[in-house]
Amino acid sequence: MKKFINKADDFLKESLNGFGKAHGDIIQVSLDPTFVSRKNKKKEGKVSLISGGGSGHEPMHGGFVGYGMLDAACPGFVFSAPAPDQMQAAAEHVDSGAGVLFIVKNYSGDIMNFQMGAEMYSGTNDSIITNDDVAVEDSTFTTGRRGVAATVLVEKIVGSLAEDGGSLEECKKLGEKVNKNAGTMGVAFTSCTVPAAGKPTFDIGDDEMEFGVGIHGEPGRKREKIKPSKTIVGNILDAILDNLKPENNEKILLFVNGMGGTPLTELYLVYDDAFQILKSKGVEVTRSLVGNYCTSLEMQGASITLLKCDEKIIKNWDAPVHTAAMRWGM
Amino acid sequence: MKKFINKADDFLKESLNGFGKAHGDIIQVSLDPTFVSRKNKKKEGKVSLISGGGSGHEPMHGGFVGYGMLDAACPGFVFSAPAPDQMQAAAEHVDSGAGVLFIVKNYSGDIMNFQMGAEMYSGTNDSIITNDDVAVEDSTFTTGRRGVAATVLVEKIVGSLAEDGGSLEECKKLGEKVNKNAGTMGVAFTSCTVPAAGKPTFDIGDDEMEFGVGIHGEPGRKREKIKPSKTIVGNILDAILDNLKPENNEKILLFVNGMGGTPLTELYLVYDDAFQILKSKGVEVTRSLVGNYCTSLEMQGASITLLKCDEKIIKNWDAPVHTAAMRWGM
Amino acid sequence: MSVNFLISQAKNIQKVINENASEIEALDQNIGDGDHIFNIQRGLKLVIELEGTIKDLPLAKALNMIAMKVLSGIGGSSGALFGTFFISMAKSPDLDKDIEFRKACEMIINGIQAMKERGKADVGEKTMMDVLIPVSVKLNEIKNNNSEIKQGLSEIIKIAEDRMLSTKDMLATKGRASFLGERAKGHIDPGARSSQLIIDTICKFIINQ
Amino acid sequence: MSVNFLISQAKNIQKVINENASEIEALDQNIGDGDHIFNIQRGLKLVIELEGTIKDLPLAKALNMIAMKVLSGIGGSSGALFGTFFISMAKSPDLDKDIEFRKACEMIINGIQAMKERGKADVGEKTMMDVLIPVSVKLNEIKNNNSEIKQGLSEIIKIAEDRMLSTKDMLATKGRASFLGERAKGHIDPGARSSQLIIDTICKFIINQ
Ligand SMILES: Nc1ncnc2c1ncn2[C@@H]1O[C@H](COP(=O)(O)OP(=O)(O)O)[C@@H](O)[C@H]1O
Ligand SMILES: Nc1ncnc2c1ncn2[C@@H]1O[C@H](COP(=O)(O)OP(=O)(O)O)[C@@H](O)[C@H]1O
Ligand SMILES: [Mg+2]
Ligand SMILES: [Mg+2]
Ligand SMILES: [Mg+2]
Ligand SMILES: [Mg+2]
């Protein structure tokens, strides 16, 4: 295992400490129980947004704590959902009286732990479950689809509404709309290595890719031979469009997300391929995001998220945000 | 080779096209000759800053074009210095009459090509050469040290002075001071793969690292066994401090830069280690930057840059900036 | 059941889990995210570290502390589920009285029921519940019929093993493996395997007493 | 020297460079950044592609177009240096007259001198100049002494090869390899190797005419 690491057991704590020091103007890191919260004091009457999940997806979620986005994030161990006392403590710390909205990715562990945290928290609260991964067939009898990169968009867009005074109910409604309007699919070229494991999560041939991979290196739709970017992007878009079925000339936000080990140059190339393919299909790209936002440790690969936008979504997307990993307008 | 790529020959052009589309609000991409320039029209009387170099170090330099930083960037092919006509065309495009300052990393190819570009450009211009890499022994008889990650800091800090109306001479002077006040050293865990080559630039064992690596995968001081982060960071800092010799309690900017394939979590862990070691040595961290800014394609590794700061440097560092890859205050 | 018994079982289980660590790790890498073994190991370590703090406490208090440790220290599905189990255990009535076999059975049955409610998974969904629910059913039977205990535990060992193996060819509908569809087939569920090992260890311990 | 001669030499050189591509690539990976072979190959391709455009142009104009192509299309140290070479060539006086051997020698000597000024590297610094400068010196000698041409070119082939090999054990003081200090020793300079192959190809072509 080649990582900047001292002891696997200390990996998360040390990284969070560094994060806290490097961004001390925006956030603070609490340990025991562990959560990241905004530095500045609460705004009366603002709904508080709390997300969280296993670590290893940085900057998600800690990097999204700050003005216009999250109020707190609860990081679990690498790829393990955080524990309920983290959510409880974070909620108690940030709630200004207007209630707490938990933003949870759809994994059994996250759902169960957030549920317990919500039960343990005495204040008003509600939850949104994100499940944008179209790689997974949906079914009402199963856990359903995974929550992946669209979670970033939900956090940004709902974060802006909360900042503007949206109620708990309005925030939840908008979050659910964004989640429903979004579809994501990813592909991995290499595996990632969980620090505690010290070896790659999966083996993959020199000429292979995992199509539809999950953000923990879980298997996707199929193992395939690697292909030119245009082909990969075309296949990803087919799967998403098939699912989202945008109207002709519908405006979308195009989000090209790196898995952690793929450089920006390639992500922009993917963006270019996606832009052109979408154009040829009558889909208009109105907003963009390109970069490493919802990662899987050092995995090489990328995901594409499409979000169908209406005026309200665009307005809240454009609104100012000031976090460690996403910042504009201020 | 596992990359999002269509044809090696088109790699740069397609990536730049995507970059141009994704950030059309800030920059525009010109092809033939190739350069990235600010979208907004020139500000009369403002010194224009132009940088450039081989591609493969993204977001450097194209990601730093915009308010408060560069006016234009000239990307060469992957790891090949750009050609003089790019610099000439960029200068003609952005010069508002107050002259052009070229910011050049210290490599033979960059120096020669920028020199020729400057000779071909008829307007007033001057150059700064960055050479912050302490891994390389300096000597007046040789090419000297390599220019690496501190180039990012030079571009930001001089960019702000230029925005505030600093003259060509003042900008050059400040840039040279920042360069002189900065020292960098990097370490690589894995090689990178130049798209045209299709295979890794160097071989490296599963338990080895290249200490003092260059940003093109050039060999550094030595090949070593991999070590705990604290040890690596300690060795890097020793080399830099040995060179910079900060006063006791001198304020520094601590810049932890990823090489492209190392995730944020590790970079923050490196930051934490560096912060603590510096503290124990009586060096005060006054500003921070953590992320992938001066990369080597998908290489896993990181570099640390220390910059000794005075009031003027801090003021210009803090000033607003609005580029694709660095943004604050606006 | 006593605090001492709980701690010594945790130690036995730790040994068995460590012996089978690479197998469990591989199972969660195949159809999950690879953290199950670390979650289980972390939980066991935390419980065993409690020994000094809880060894002289009344059972109710000790169980409560174990529950909080498991709930807050593990994370993931395992943390929530085993945390739920111990919370249920800690809430059992009459914990200040002697806990004989029937009472212990009841506590375990209720704990598993709480897990089932928390995770909303039933038998056949390729989770640890495939092992735990049938074990709980059998425990209930033993308890109600006043069966011979060691004989009953031997049957439970067998049930746990069969059910663990049965997850191999299931499609998953709950948990991470559910995302894989057909590709989950052919792999034993990691939680089913770790649960089976836990049950195996405790049963064998009692049988060999 | 004619436009035709230049294009046909570029084609010959392309063939030889391609045959030795992996060796040249490895050399720049060892002590540089690995792009030298692609820079050279790109340059040759661009020049050869000019054929249709320049084949009927006067030499001065054709050389100018080649110079601009090489300068703008390659990049890196090679682009600047070989661009400088062709700019110098294109600036030679009397290009509308017939270019006999002595005149061609002068043009090449001046071109190499321009490269030396651009790169500020002299013999012994582990660059292509270690090959080119001695070649230029010998060319000058042949020209001034009116030596037998084919004999002279054979000597040049030998000089280029010796000097190319001599870069192996040098410390580099210019170019990327200079950053390596002692670690540059034991590796031939990539630019020296490609330059030597270019010289070798042209000389052999003329000798075999
Ligand atoms: N809803 C659920 N109900 C019961 N058991 C579940 C559920 N979801 C997951 N599991 C069990 O949890 C195991 C995985 O645990 P672990 O790896 O620790 O957590 P995670 O799946 O969150 O990474 C699975 O093998 C399965 O047995
Ligand atoms: N200052 C210089 N003067 C002469 N030749 C040089 C100089 N710097 C580099 N070279 C030559 O250029 C070669 C490398 O060319 P290339 O790889 O194309 O460019 P770069 O070094 O910019 O990547 C070296 O092997 C060396 O022969
Ligand atoms: Mg997990
Ligand atoms: Mg180069
Ligand atoms: Mg797991
Ligand atoms: Mg090179």
Side-chain angles (χ1 to χ4, degrees), chain D residues 10-69:
Chain D
K11 288 180 182 169
N12 292 340
I13 293 166
Q14 187 180 49
K15 200 167 150 277
V16 174
I17 291 289
N18 287 347
E19 280 162 12
N20 294 277
S22 57
E23 183 201 335
I24 300 172
E25 184 181 351
L27 293 176
D28 199 31
Q29 288 184 327
N30 288 336
I31 58 168
D33 56 355
D35 61 341
H36 185 62
I37 181 64
F38 308 114
N39 290 340
I40 296 290
Q41 286 179 322
R42 191 165 51 238
L44 287 163
K45 184 163 167 274
L46 289 171
V47 170
I48 293 166
E49 281 171 2
L50 275 181
E51 178 169 13
T53 322
I54 64 173
K55 69 171 188 295
D56 299 323
L57 293 182
L59 184 60
K61 249 201 164 122
L63 273 173
N64 225 329
M65 291 193 75
I66 292 175
M68 286 306 120
K69 215 21 137 197

Coordinates of all heavy atoms in Angstrom, one line a residue, chain D residues 10-69:
Chain D
A10 N 14.3 14.4 -44.9 CA 13.4 14.3 -43.8 C 12.7 12.9 -43.8 O 12.5 12.3 -42.7 CB 12.3 15.4 -43.8
K11 N 12.4 12.4 -45.0 CA 11.8 11.1 -45.0 C 12.8 10.0 -44.6 O 12.4 9.1 -43.9 CB 11.3 10.8 -46.5 CG 10.0 11.7 -46.8 CD 9.6 11.4 -48.2 CE 8.4 12.3 -48.6 NZ 8.0 12.2 -50.0
N12 N 14.0 10.1 -45.1 CA 15.0 9.1 -44.7 C 15.2 9.2 -43.1 O 15.3 8.1 -42.5 CB 16.4 9.4 -45.3 CG 16.4 9.2 -46.8 OD1 15.5 8.5 -47.3 ND2 17.3 9.8 -47.5
I13 N 15.3 10.4 -42.6 CA 15.5 10.5 -41.2 C 14.3 9.9 -40.4 O 14.5 9.2 -39.4 CB 15.7 12.0 -40.8 CG1 17.0 12.5 -41.4 CG2 15.7 12.2 -39.3 CD1 17.2 14.0 -41.4
Q14 N 13.1 10.2 -40.9 CA 11.9 9.7 -40.2 C 12.0 8.2 -40.1 O 11.7 7.6 -39.0 CB 10.7 10.1 -41.0 CG 9.4 9.7 -40.3 CD 8.2 10.1 -41.1 OE1 8.1 9.8 -42.3 NE2 7.2 10.8 -40.5
K15 N 12.5 7.5 -41.2 CA 12.6 6.1 -41.1 C 13.5 5.6 -40.0 O 13.2 4.7 -39.2 CB 13.0 5.6 -42.5 CG 12.7 4.2 -42.8 CD 12.9 3.8 -44.3 CE 13.3 2.4 -44.4 NZ 14.8 2.1 -44.2
V16 N 14.7 6.3 -40.0 CA 15.7 5.9 -39.1 C 15.3 6.2 -37.6 O 15.5 5.4 -36.7 CB 17.1 6.6 -39.4 CG1 18.1 6.3 -38.3 CG2 17.6 6.2 -40.8
I17 N 14.7 7.3 -37.4 CA 14.2 7.7 -36.1 C 13.2 6.7 -35.6 O 13.2 6.2 -34.5 CB 13.7 9.1 -36.1 CG1 14.8 10.2 -36.3 CG2 12.9 9.4 -34.8 CD1 15.7 10.3 -35.1
N18 N 12.2 6.4 -36.5 CA 11.2 5.4 -36.1 C 11.8 4.0 -35.7 O 11.4 3.4 -34.8 CB 10.2 5.2 -37.2 CG 9.3 6.4 -37.4 OD1 9.3 7.3 -36.5 ND2 8.5 6.5 -38.5
E19 N 12.9 3.7 -36.5 CA 13.5 2.4 -36.2 C 14.2 2.4 -34.8 O 14.3 1.4 -34.1 CB 14.6 2.0 -37.2 CG 14.0 1.5 -38.5 CD 15.0 1.6 -39.7 OE1 16.2 1.9 -39.4 OE2 14.6 1.4 -40.8
N20 N 14.6 3.6 -34.4 CA 15.3 3.7 -33.1 C 14.4 4.4 -32.0 O 14.9 4.8 -31.0 CB 16.6 4.5 -33.3 CG 17.6 3.7 -34.1 OD1 18.3 2.8 -33.7 ND2 17.6 4.0 -35.4
A21 N 13.1 4.4 -32.3 CA 12.2 5.2 -31.4 C 12.3 4.7 -29.9 O 12.4 5.5 -29.0 CB 10.8 5.1 -31.9
S22 N 12.2 3.4 -29.7 CA 12.1 3.0 -28.3 C 13.3 3.3 -27.6 O 13.3 3.6 -26.4 CB 11.6 1.5 -28.2 OG 12.6 0.7 -28.9
E23 N 14.5 3.2 -28.2 CA 15.7 3.5 -27.6 C 15.7 5.0 -27.2 O 16.1 5.4 -26.0 CB 16.9 3.2 -28.5 CG 18.3 3.5 -27.8 CD 19.4 3.7 -28.7 OE1 19.4 3.2 -29.9 OE2 20.4 4.4 -28.4
I24 N 15.4 5.9 -28.1 CA 15.4 7.3 -27.8 C 14.4 7.7 -26.7 O 14.6 8.5 -25.8 CB 15.1 8.1 -29.1 CG1 16.1 7.8 -30.2 CG2 15.0 9.6 -28.8 CD1 15.8 8.5 -31.5
E25 N 13.2 7.0 -26.8 CA 12.2 7.3 -25.8 C 12.8 6.9 -24.4 O 12.6 7.7 -23.4 CB 11.0 6.4 -26.1 CG 9.9 6.7 -25.1 CD 8.6 5.9 -25.3 OE1 8.5 5.2 -26.4 OE2 7.7 5.9 -24.5
A26 N 13.4 5.8 -24.3 CA 13.9 5.3 -23.0 C 15.0 6.3 -22.5 O 15.1 6.6 -21.3 CB 14.5 3.9 -23.2
L27 N 15.8 6.8 -23.4 CA 16.9 7.7 -23.0 C 16.3 9.0 -22.3 O 16.8 9.4 -21.2 CB 17.8 8.1 -24.2 CG 18.6 7.0 -24.8 CD1 19.4 7.6 -26.0 CD2 19.6 6.4 -23.8
D28 N 15.2 9.5 -22.9 CA 14.7 10.7 -22.3 C 13.8 10.4 -21.0 O 13.6 11.2 -20.2 CB 13.8 11.5 -23.3 CG 13.6 13.0 -22.8 OD1 14.5 13.6 -22.2 OD2 12.5 13.5 -23.2
Q29 N 13.4 9.1 -20.9 CA 12.7 8.7 -19.7 C 13.7 8.6 -18.6 O 13.4 8.8 -17.4 CB 11.9 7.4 -19.9 CG 10.7 7.6 -20.8 CD 9.9 6.4 -20.9 OE1 10.4 5.3 -20.9 NE2 8.6 6.5 -21.0
N30 N 14.9 8.1 -18.9 CA 15.9 7.9 -17.9 C 16.4 9.2 -17.3 O 16.6 9.3 -16.1 CB 17.2 7.2 -18.5 CG 16.9 5.7 -18.8 OD1 16.0 5.2 -18.2 ND2 17.6 5.2 -19.8
I31 N 16.7 10.2 -18.1 CA 17.3 11.4 -17.6 C 16.5 12.7 -17.9 O 17.0 13.8 -17.6 CB 18.8 11.6 -18.0 CG1 18.9 11.6 -19.5 CG2 19.6 10.4 -17.5 CD1 20.3 12.1 -20.0
G32 N 15.4 12.5 -18.5 CA 14.6 13.7 -18.9 C 13.1 13.4 -18.6 O 12.8 12.9 -17.5
D33 N 12.3 13.9 -19.4 CA 10.8 13.7 -19.2 C 10.1 12.9 -20.2 O 8.9 12.8 -20.2 CB 10.2 15.1 -19.1 CG 10.5 15.9 -20.4 OD1 11.2 15.4 -21.2 OD2 9.9 17.0 -20.5
G34 N 10.9 12.2 -21.1 CA 10.2 11.2 -21.9 C 9.6 11.7 -23.2 O 9.0 10.9 -23.9
D35 N 9.6 13.0 -23.5 CA 8.9 13.4 -24.6 C 9.8 13.6 -25.9 O 9.3 13.9 -27.0 CB 8.2 14.8 -24.3 CG 9.2 15.9 -23.9 OD1 10.4 15.5 -23.6 OD2 8.8 17.0 -24.0
H36 N 11.1 13.4 -25.7 CA 12.0 13.8 -26.9 C 11.6 13.1 -28.2 O 11.5 13.7 -29.2 CB 13.5 13.5 -26.5 CG 14.4 13.9 -27.5 ND1 14.5 15.3 -27.9 CD2 15.3 13.3 -28.3 CE1 15.5 15.4 -28.9 NE2 15.9 14.2 -29.1
I37 N 11.4 11.8 -28.1 CA 11.1 11.0 -29.3 C 9.8 11.6 -30.0 O 9.7 11.7 -31.2 CB 10.9 9.5 -29.0 CG1 10.6 8.7 -30.3 CG2 9.8 9.2 -28.0 CD1 11.7 8.8 -31.3
F38 N 8.8 11.9 -29.1 CA 7.6 12.4 -29.7 C 7.8 13.8 -30.3 O 7.2 14.1 -31.4 CB 6.4 12.5 -28.7 CG 6.3 11.2 -28.0 CD1 6.6 11.0 -26.6 CD2 6.0 10.0 -28.7 CE1 6.5 9.8 -26.0 CE2 5.9 8.8 -28.1 CZ 6.1 8.7 -26.7
N39 N 8.6 14.6 -29.7 CA 8.9 15.9 -30.3 C 9.6 15.8 -31.7 O 9.2 16.4 -32.6 CB 9.8 16.7 -29.3 CG 9.1 17.1 -28.1 OD1 7.9 17.2 -28.0 ND2 9.9 17.5 -27.0
I40 N 10.6 14.9 -31.7 CA 11.3 14.7 -33.0 C 10.4 14.1 -34.0 O 10.3 14.6 -35.2 CB 12.5 13.7 -32.7 CG1 13.5 14.4 -31.8 CG2 13.2 13.3 -34.1 CD1 14.3 15.5 -32.4
Q41 N 9.6 13.1 -33.6 CA 8.7 12.5 -34.6 C 7.6 13.5 -35.1 O 7.3 13.5 -36.3 CB 8.0 11.3 -34.0 CG 8.9 10.1 -33.8 CD 8.3 8.9 -33.2 OE1 7.5 9.0 -32.3 NE2 8.6 7.7 -33.7
R42 N 7.1 14.3 -34.2 CA 6.1 15.3 -34.6 C 6.7 16.3 -35.6 O 6.1 16.6 -36.6 CB 5.6 16.0 -33.4 CG 4.3 16.9 -33.7 CD 3.6 17.3 -32.4 NE 4.6 17.9 -31.4 CZ 4.8 17.4 -30.2 NH1 4.1 16.4 -29.8 NH2 5.6 18.0 -29.4
G43 N 8.0 16.7 -35.3 CA 8.6 17.7 -36.2 C 8.8 17.1 -37.6 O 8.5 17.8 -38.6
L44 N 9.3 15.9 -37.6 CA 9.5 15.3 -38.9 C 8.2 15.1 -39.7 O 8.2 15.4 -40.9 CB 10.2 13.9 -38.8 CG 11.7 14.0 -38.3 CD1 12.2 12.6 -37.8 CD2 12.6 14.4 -39.5
K45 N 7.2 14.7 -39.0 CA 5.9 14.5 -39.7 C 5.4 15.9 -40.3 O 5.0 15.9 -41.4 CB 4.9 14.0 -38.6 CG 3.5 13.7 -39.2 CD 2.8 12.8 -38.2 CE 1.3 12.7 -38.5 NZ 0.5 13.8 -37.9
L46 N 5.6 16.9 -39.5 CA 5.1 18.2 -39.9 C 5.9 18.7 -41.1 O 5.3 19.3 -42.1 CB 5.2 19.2 -38.8 CG 4.2 19.0 -37.6 CD1 4.6 20.0 -36.4 CD2 2.8 19.3 -38.1
V47 N 7.2 18.5 -41.1 CA 8.0 18.9 -42.3 C 7.6 18.1 -43.5 O 7.4 18.7 -44.6 CB 9.5 18.7 -41.9 CG1 10.3 19.0 -43.2 CG2 9.9 19.7 -40.8
I48 N 7.4 16.8 -43.4 CA 7.1 16.0 -44.5 C 5.7 16.4 -45.1 O 5.5 16.4 -46.3 CB 7.2 14.5 -44.1 CG1 8.7 14.2 -43.9 CG2 6.7 13.6 -45.2 CD1 8.9 12.8 -43.2
E49 N 4.8 16.7 -44.2 CA 3.5 17.1 -44.6 C 3.5 18.4 -45.4 O 2.6 18.7 -46.1 CB 2.6 17.3 -43.4 CG 2.0 16.0 -42.8 CD 1.3 16.2 -41.5 OE1 1.2 17.3 -41.0 OE2 0.8 15.1 -41.0
L50 N 4.6 19.2 -45.2 CA 4.7 20.4 -46.0 C 5.0 20.2 -47.5 O 4.9 21.1 -48.3 CB 5.8 21.3 -45.4 CG 5.5 22.2 -44.2 CD1 6.8 23.0 -43.8 CD2 4.4 23.2 -44.5
E51 N 5.4 19.0 -47.8 CA 5.9 18.7 -49.1 C 5.1 19.3 -50.2 O 5.6 20.1 -51.1 CB 6.0 17.2 -49.4 CG 6.5 16.8 -50.8 CD 6.9 15.4 -51.0 OE1 6.5 14.6 -50.1 OE2 7.5 15.0 -52.0
G52 N 3.8 19.1 -50.2 CA 2.9 19.6 -51.3 C 2.9 21.1 -51.4 O 3.0 21.7 -52.5
T53 N 3.0 21.7 -50.2 CA 3.0 23.2 -50.1 C 4.3 23.8 -50.6 O 4.3 24.9 -51.3 CB 2.8 23.7 -48.7 OG1 1.8 22.8 -48.0 CG2 2.3 25.1 -48.6
I54 N 5.4 23.2 -50.3 CA 6.7 23.9 -50.5 C 7.5 23.4 -51.7 O 8.5 24.0 -52.1 CB 7.6 23.8 -49.3 CG1 8.0 22.4 -48.9 CG2 6.9 24.5 -48.1 CD1 9.1 22.3 -47.8
K55 N 7.0 22.2 -52.3 CA 7.9 21.6 -53.3 C 8.3 22.5 -54.5 O 9.4 22.3 -55.0 CB 7.4 20.2 -53.7 CG 6.2 20.1 -54.5 CD 6.0 18.7 -55.0 CE 4.9 18.5 -56.0 NZ 3.6 18.9 -55.4
D56 N 7.4 23.4 -54.8 CA 7.7 24.2 -56.0 C 8.1 25.6 -55.6 O 8.3 26.5 -56.4 CB 6.5 24.3 -56.9 CG 6.2 22.9 -57.5 OD1 7.2 22.1 -57.7 OD2 5.0 22.6 -57.6
L57 N 8.3 25.9 -54.3 CA 8.7 27.2 -53.8 C 10.2 27.4 -53.9 O 11.0 26.4 -53.9 CB 8.3 27.4 -52.4 CG 6.8 27.5 -52.0 CD1 6.6 27.7 -50.6 CD2 6.1 28.5 -52.9
P58 N 10.6 28.7 -54.0 CA 12.1 28.9 -53.9 C 12.6 28.5 -52.6 O 11.9 28.5 -51.6 CB 12.2 30.5 -54.1 CG 10.8 31.0 -54.1 CD 9.8 29.9 -54.2
L59 N 13.9 28.1 -52.5 CA 14.5 27.6 -51.3 C 14.3 28.5 -50.1 O 13.9 28.0 -49.0 CB 16.0 27.3 -51.5 CG 16.7 26.6 -50.3 CD1 16.1 25.3 -50.0 CD2 18.2 26.4 -50.6
A60 N 14.5 29.8 -50.2 CA 14.4 30.7 -49.1 C 13.0 30.6 -48.5 O 12.9 30.5 -47.2 CB 14.7 32.1 -49.5
K61 N 12.0 30.7 -49.3 CA 10.6 30.6 -48.8 C 10.3 29.2 -48.2 O 9.7 29.2 -47.1 CB 9.7 30.8 -50.0 CG 8.9 32.1 -49.9 CD 7.7 32.1 -50.8 CE 6.8 33.3 -50.3 NZ 6.5 34.2 -51.4
A62 N 10.8 28.2 -48.8 CA 10.6 26.8 -48.3 C 11.3 26.7 -46.9 O 10.7 26.2 -46.0 CB 11.1 25.8 -49.3
L63 N 12.5 27.2 -46.8 CA 13.2 27.1 -45.5 C 12.5 27.8 -44.4 O 12.4 27.4 -43.3 CB 14.6 27.6 -45.7 CG 15.7 26.5 -46.1 CD1 17.0 27.2 -46.4 CD2 15.8 25.4 -45.1
N64 N 12.0 29.0 -44.8 CA 11.2 29.8 -43.9 C 10.0 29.0 -43.4 O 9.7 29.0 -42.2 CB 10.8 31.1 -44.6 CG 11.0 32.3 -43.7 OD1 11.0 32.1 -42.5 ND2 11.3 33.4 -44.3
M65 N 9.3 28.4 -44.3 CA 8.1 27.7 -43.9 C 8.5 26.5 -43.0 O 7.8 26.2 -42.0 CB 7.3 27.2 -45.1 CG 6.7 28.4 -45.8 SD 5.4 27.9 -47.0 CE 4.1 27.4 -46.0
I66 N 9.6 25.8 -43.3 CA 10.0 24.7 -42.5 C 10.4 25.2 -41.1 O 10.0 24.7 -40.1 CB 11.2 24.0 -43.1 CG1 10.8 23.3 -44.4 CG2 11.9 23.0 -42.2 CD1 12.0 22.6 -45.2
A67 N 11.1 26.4 -41.1 CA 11.5 26.9 -39.8 C 10.3 27.2 -38.9 O 10.3 26.9 -37.7 CB 12.3 28.2 -40.0
M68 N 9.3 27.9 -39.5 CA 8.1 28.2 -38.7 C 7.4 27.0 -38.2 O 6.9 26.9 -37.1 CB 7.2 29.1 -39.6 CG 7.6 30.5 -39.8 SD 8.0 31.3 -38.2 CE 9.7 31.7 -38.4
K69 N 7.3 26.0 -39.1 CA 6.6 24.7 -38.7 C 7.4 24.0 -37.6 O 6.8 23.6 -36.6 CB 6.7 23.8 -39.9 CG 5.5 22.9 -40.2 CD 4.2 23.2 -39.6 CE 3.1 23.0 -40.6 NZ 1.9 23.6 -40.1

